[in-house]
Each structure stands twice: as C-alpha cells, then as structure tokens.
Amino acid sequence: MRFARLGPVGTEIPIVFDGDRALDLRPITLDLDGAFFSGGGIERTRSALSAGSLSELADAASLRIGAPISRPSAVYCIGMNYAAHAAESGSAPPEQLVMFMKSPNTVVGPFDDVPIPRGSEKTDWEVELGVVIGRRASYLASPAEAAAHIAGYVAANDLSERDWQLTQSGGQWSKGKSAPGFCPTGPWLVTGDEVDASDVRLQSFVNGEPRQDSRASDLIFDIDTIVWQLSQFLALEAGDLVLTGTPEGVALSGRFPYLAVDDVVEIEIEGLGRQRQRYVAA
C-alpha cells in the first residue's frame, strides 16, 4: 500500500492510494502517526480497501503533499553507510554503526521550499532510504526480527550544513543536521509488500544535473541489521524515522558546489517516488 498526507501544514489529511485514487483515511485515523502504526492501522486499512468502504478525497490532486508521517518522536540517522561515500568524506568504512540524530521538526513535505540557514555556505543534499518503525523495537534478538517492526519505507533528503556538522560541531554531527526543513520526506510511505527496499535505486539531481546514483544493496549495514543494532542501544517507537545513509555524489566530495538560493534539488528512490525542493533565503 501507498500512504500519504495531503493538505496545508499542520492540517494534513491521511490518505491511501487505490491505483490513482486517493482515499480518505479519516474514518480509520486522524493521522499517520505512531498510534496508527502500532494500533493495527495498516491491517485495518487493508480490510477497508477490500470492503470498498473508503471514499475518494475530493480535489486530492490540487492539495499540497505533506510528509507521509506526522512528526516522529525521533529521527535516527546512520552515517557513512556506503563505502564510496565514506571514502569521499575522507573516512574508512566504519566497523561499527555510526548513529546521529536530526530534530524531528526537520521533517517537512517533499515539495516544500527549504530555507538555506542564515550564515550557511555549505548546505548539502543527501538522498536516503528511510525506514518507518511500525511497533516498538527494544533488544531485538536478531536482525531476523526487524521486519516485523517496520511499517514501511520512504524517500528522504538528509540535508546537512557541513561547516556546522564538521568544523563547528564540537564533536557531534547533529548541529549541522537540524536546521528547519532539513528532512524533506515522501511523497509516500510504501509498505514492504510492495517494494524490495533492500535493492532500490537511489538518485539525486541538482538543477537537473545528476549527482548521486546507487542502490540500497550497497549499504554496509543493511536495513534489518540497522534496526536490530539500534534496538540494542535505544527503544525505537512506532512512527519513528530511521535514515539509512547516503551514497557518494554530495558536495562534501569537492566535486560539486554547495547549494545556493534558487537551486532546485530532486531526489528519487525506485518505488518510493520523487521529490523536489527549491532552496530559498532564510
């Protein structure tokens, strides 16, 4: 299934797609949040689709597309999880999972304008496969248990201010990861029965020019291993977002300029949709 949220910021309407039709989910839930995922919302939606009991949302095509999940309790990110990206960052591939966090309020719609932070000279793009947690995961016994705790997958842009991340960081990356709008997400959440997330193609483009092009099969730590390992150190809650890392082809490599006002970034992940942001002055 493909889920989305449509409408103005703060009043998005949850929907599920039936082919090209956007069906209103408000008879089932007011939002695509942790309570929906942990409370059997996906199964109830599947039953409602089979029964034909959901109505089409009027004027859906004219509505803004929001992030396909409401604000999560946490956004966990995995760093340097593609060997080529680690190399372009000047690092060896990690032997242990590298984790940092983004502020949950960075999650915005996939087509929303993104302000370049005041004083920033090194705003960078990062296409990433995102994992949405479906139920609480704590001390999973093995990676084999991870799939049962995953609600679905999303495309995300893990934007970074590299000077704040690396030079002014004080040793922690999150300072360069949490500016407003720094996690465009969506357009859809896709359940695991409709996409093989382990080998999707990830691409990014700046002003129409290709930047990143890789596959999730190149991850150093795969999806199930990430969820399992994180659960050994923290409790993943339903509705949380886990970003699995970005491939090579970012501005940090020195091969491309950083983002400037009026630049346009597009990212696309096979099966998860395409997003587009224009970059504006803060």
Side-chain angles (χ1 to χ4, degrees):
M1 287 181 288
R2 288 186 300 140
F3 293 89
R5 297 165 69 245
L6 307 179
V9 176
T11 59
E12 292 93 345
I13 297 167
I15 65 104
V16 64
F17 286 100
D18 181 17
D20 292 332
R21 297 193 309 146
L23 303 183
D24 193 336
L25 276 177
R26 286 177 291 183
I28 291 176
T29 184
L30 294 179
D31 214 342
L32 300 179
D33 54 13
F36 171 76
F37 296 120
S38 65
I42 290 177
E43 291 74 18
R44 287 186 285 121
T45 300
R46 186 173 284 114
S47 296
L49 284 171
S50 296
S53 60
L54 297 175
S55 300
E56 192 165 358
L57 180 65
D59 301 322
S62 66
L63 297 176
R64 167 187 170 270
I65 301 175
I69 54 173
S70 65
R71 184 180 295 184
S73 72
V75 180
Y76 299 104
C77 308
I78 307 304
M80 297 187 294
N81 201 22
Y82 290 80
H85 175 59
E88 74 176 356
S89 303
S91 301
E95 296 182 3
Q96 300 290 331
L97 201 69
V98 176
M99 190 206 83
F100 60 93
M101 297 180 69
K102 295 176 80 80
S103 172
N105 67 5
T106 59
V107 175
V108 296
F111 302 101
D112 293 347
D113 288 349
V114 175
I116 292 179
R118 192 174 300 173
S120 170
E121 296 182 355
K122 292 184 177 181
T123 295
D124 206 349
W125 61 88
E126 294 188 21
V127 59
E128 302 211 12
L129 169 64
V131 177
V132 178
I133 300 301
R135 63 188 180 99
R136 194 172 194 267
S138 178
Y139 297 117
L140 301 185
S142 72
E145 292 189 0
H149 296 263
I150 294 172
Y153 304 94
V154 296
N157 189 353
D158 173 23
L159 289 158
S160 310
E161 211 300 329
R162 299 300 192 185
D163 189 49
W164 302 352
Q165 176 192 355
L166 302 172
T167 305
Q168 301 184 44
S169 66
Q172 298 291 331
W173 287 3
S174 296
K175 186 187 294 183
K177 296 284 188 172
S178 294
F182 262 32
C183 193
T185 303
W188 318 309
L189 181 150
V190 181
T191 51
D193 57 328
E194 292 205 5
V195 63
D196 178 10
S198 68
D199 192 32
V200 290
R201 185 183 185 185
L202 303 89
Q203 297 174 277
S204 66
F205 308 83
V206 178
N207 300 327
E209 298 180 356
R211 292 292 187 262
Q212 296 171 278
D213 191 349
S214 189
R215 303 195 71 89
S217 54
D218 292 332
L219 287 168
I220 297 171
F221 300 98
D222 63 26
I223 295 166
D224 290 349
T225 298
I226 290 169
V227 173
W228 165 65
Q229 284 208 16
L230 287 178
S231 81
Q232 309 308 303
F233 301 101
L234 51 90
L236 294 163
E237 301 290 353
D240 284 353
L241 177 60
V242 179
L243 303 186
T244 58
T246 199
E248 66 173 326
V250 297
L252 181 63
S253 68
R255 293 184 286 142
F256 309 111
Y258 288 100
L259 295 175
V261 170
D262 290 330
D263 280 348
V264 172
V265 172
E266 296 169 277
I267 71 166
E268 182 171 8
I269 299 182
E270 181 181 9
L272 302 182
R274 189 177 182 104
Q275 57 175 249
R276 180 183 189 274
Q277 303 97 39
R278 183 172 67 95
Y279 289 78
V280 300

